[in-house]
Amino acid sequence: MIWKSTTKFSAKSYFDDSHHGLIDSYLRSNPVASKISEKIEFSIQNQTPFPLFEQHPVKSDAFSHIGYSKISKILDLKFESGGVYRYYNIPILLWDELYYSTSMGKVFNDNIRGQYPFDKLDIESMTYLKMTTIEPFAKVEK
């Protein structure tokens, strides 16, 4: 009887079907190791948490909650009106400015609104609603 495996590698062993070790076969080979590393990095960079806005309840006339991911540079804002929006490519310094501001609405209107791509989040169905033209305006603290 000839046994043939359909699996090239099993996590249960450190050897593939050719009886080469995982490290020697895959990780010491620079092109293969580079491809594995690229795929892992791509996977990490494309994971977006949901939702972030629950991270920080805030005292603001504009927002009830805000949240930020340093890894993916995503900013989630829950407006006092109840709408939740996700903004992309937000620099950490802009997050810091928003978070420590005495007028979050002003920082938003002056530095974020109309300048960064965004999606509206439908929290109840846990989906993204693509919005390209209708962007909220934040109430500014007096």
Side-chain angles (χ1 to χ4, degrees):
M1 178 176 171
I2 299 175
W3 180 75
K4 184 173 181 175
S5 172
T6 58
T7 306
K8 293 289 183 190
F9 173 75
S10 168
K12 294 178 182 175
S13 73
Y14 291 105
F15 299 98
D16 63 11
D17 286 346
S18 65
H19 300 286
H20 291 99
L22 170 67
I23 293 171
D24 290 334
S25 294
Y26 301 104
L27 302 180
R28 286 199 179 127
S29 169
N30 193 29
V32 174
S34 292
K35 278 291 185 198
I36 292 170
S37 176
E38 286 172 19
K39 296 291 184 184
I40 291 171
E41 184 177 357
F42 177 81
S43 175
I44 290 169
Q45 294 299 325
N46 287 288
Q47 293 179 13
T48 54
F50 192 94
L52 294 168
F53 73 86
E54 293 178 343
Q55 292 176 341
H56 304 281
V58 293
K59 292 182 180 181
S60 166
D61 289 340
F63 311 108
S64 64
H65 294 77
I66 61 175
Y68 181 74
S69 169
K70 292 177 187 176
I71 294 171
S72 54
K73 297 180 183 175
I74 291 174
L75 170 67
D76 282 355
L77 301 171
K78 184 173 185 183
F79 285 76
E80 278 294 336
S81 63
V84 178
Y85 290 80
R86 173 164 285 177
Y87 288 83
Y88 300 93
N89 304 318
I90 303 295
I92 184 101
L93 292 176
L94 184 50
W95 158 253
D96 287 342
E97 183 180 352
L98 176 72
Y99 187 74
Y100 295 108
S101 173
T102 57
S103 179
M104 291 182 175
K106 181 165 176 34
V107 171
F108 171 80
N109 290 333
D110 292 349
N111 301 298
I112 298 170
R113 186 175 191 276
Q115 298 181 44
Y116 292 92
F118 69 95
D119 289 323
K120 182 174 183 181
L121 305 184
D122 181 352
I123 299 305
E124 293 193 20
S125 67
M126 299 295 280
T127 60
Y128 298 93
L129 298 176
K130 297 292 182 187
M131 307 275 295
T132 56
T133 57
I134 303 171
E135 188 171 12
F137 193 81
K139 186 188 289 184
V140 177
E141 292 82 355
K142 296 175 183 168

